[in-house]
Amino acid sequence: MDSFIEAVRAGLEERADPGKAPEMQAYMKSDMPFLGVQKPGRVALLKSLPRIDSRDEWLHVVQTLWREATYREERYVALALSGDRRFQSVELLPWFDEMIVTGAWWDYVDEIASKRIGPLLRSAPDVVRPLMLKWSVDADRWRRRTSIICQLGAKANTDVELLEACVDANVDDPDFFLRKGIGWALREFAKTEPGWVRAFVQARPRLSPLSRREALKHL
């Protein structure tokens, strides 16, 4: 798998645009530098890579790219590879947690929350639900944001009680990313249950103006 990892790094270098790198880094407010490889280039690189059929090899590639990243695009590739549906299981929760805590920014966390944790919650609620309740009161704001937005796109399969608990646990927090996450989660669920969201917002005068505005945006 070392050759696979080197292919990723070489492919990113080949597609790098040094002129784009500074503006990408500034936009993302990132301490880690960019190579200047935008999403179309990363998608093309991913399509060019060989298929990995071993779960252990797949996890080794993802973890190595993530942990040893010099450029942010290496982590974007690791994040994309981490979504391979063949290998998803609750055994990956500690790894996704590591990505959340070490990534610690919305461009990583939002995809992990909605596209990794969310599906695991729906497939193994007995395992993931208690963890989300624990994360909703964790000291780490990105774990808390994950608990709030992990059900994005769940529609009728939304665990309403869990959503309510995770929002209520953070309703008084002044953090922008938590307030924005609350509004986002409620806005998305309003596409399925607008009446419930209206009532929920009305019953919570302590919701921040940002959360309230986002929640009711399309109602």
Side-chain angles (χ1 to χ4, degrees):
M1 285 295 98
D2 289 343
S3 61
F4 187 102
I5 293 166
E6 287 307 312
V8 170
R9 291 170 177 162
L12 288 172
E13 291 278 359
E14 290 169 6
R15 293 166 172 80
D17 182 346
K20 289 284 186 183
E23 65 183 65
M24 292 172 72
Q25 185 174 357
Y27 171 76
M28 201 52 64
K29 300 178 181 177
S30 172
D31 291 330
M32 185 179 289
F34 279 78
L35 281 163
V37 184
Q38 295 182 300
K39 187 172 182 179
R42 299 196 303 269
V43 170
L45 172 59
L46 285 163
K47 289 180 178 178
S48 75
L49 296 170
R51 176 184 170 97
I52 303 175
D53 289 317
S54 163
R55 188 179 188 276
D56 289 343
E57 291 180 348
W58 164 78
L59 188 56
H60 170 73
V61 165
V62 171
Q63 290 179 335
T64 301
L65 286 170
W66 184 271
R67 291 169 175 165
E68 297 182 2
T70 303
Y71 297 98
R72 204 167 188 90
E73 288 95 337
E74 293 173 80
R75 284 192 162 180
Y76 288 154
V77 172
L79 179 58
L81 291 171
S82 76
D84 194 318
R85 294 181 182 180
R86 297 172 297 161
F87 303 128
Q88 302 303 298
S89 74
V90 291
E91 294 173 357
L92 292 172
L93 285 169
W95 168 241
F96 291 142
D97 182 32
E98 180 180 330
M99 294 177 81
I100 289 165
V101 173
T102 59
W105 202 240
W106 63 266
D107 57 334
Y108 300 136
V109 171
D110 292 1
E111 182 166 347
I112 298 166
S114 61
K115 302 293 179 62
R116 309 289 183 269
I117 303 295
L120 290 176
L121 171 64
R122 292 186 285 279
S123 65
D126 55 324
V127 176
V128 184
R129 191 179 195 275
L131 183 63
M132 291 302 99
L133 290 170
K134 182 180 178 181
W135 283 7
S136 73
V137 294
D138 194 271
D140 187 281
R141 67 173 173 178
W142 298 107
R143 284 184 179 136
R144 282 188 280 155
R145 181 172 166 98
T146 296
S147 75
I148 293 164
I149 67 171
C150 65
Q151 297 194 79
L152 292 174
K155 299 180 181 179
N157 293 317
T158 298
D159 181 335
V160 177
E161 291 183 359
L162 177 62
L163 175 61
E164 184 173 352
C166 292
V167 169
D168 283 342
N170 293 279
V171 73
D172 292 319
D173 198 295
D175 182 83
F176 169 82
F177 289 101
L178 294 175
R179 290 184 168 188
K180 188 78 170 180
I182 288 171
W184 187 14
L186 293 173
R187 185 179 77 235
E188 284 300 303
F189 190 47
K191 295 175 183 177
T192 302
E193 291 289 350
W196 185 92
V197 170
R198 277 198 199 91
F200 182 90
V201 170
Q202 186 175 7
R204 284 160 179 78
R206 299 195 334 270
L207 271 177
S208 71
L210 173 60
S211 297
R212 185 179 301 273
R213 184 169 62 251
E214 288 292 317
L216 302 176
K217 192 171 187 178
H218 301 303
L219 295 181

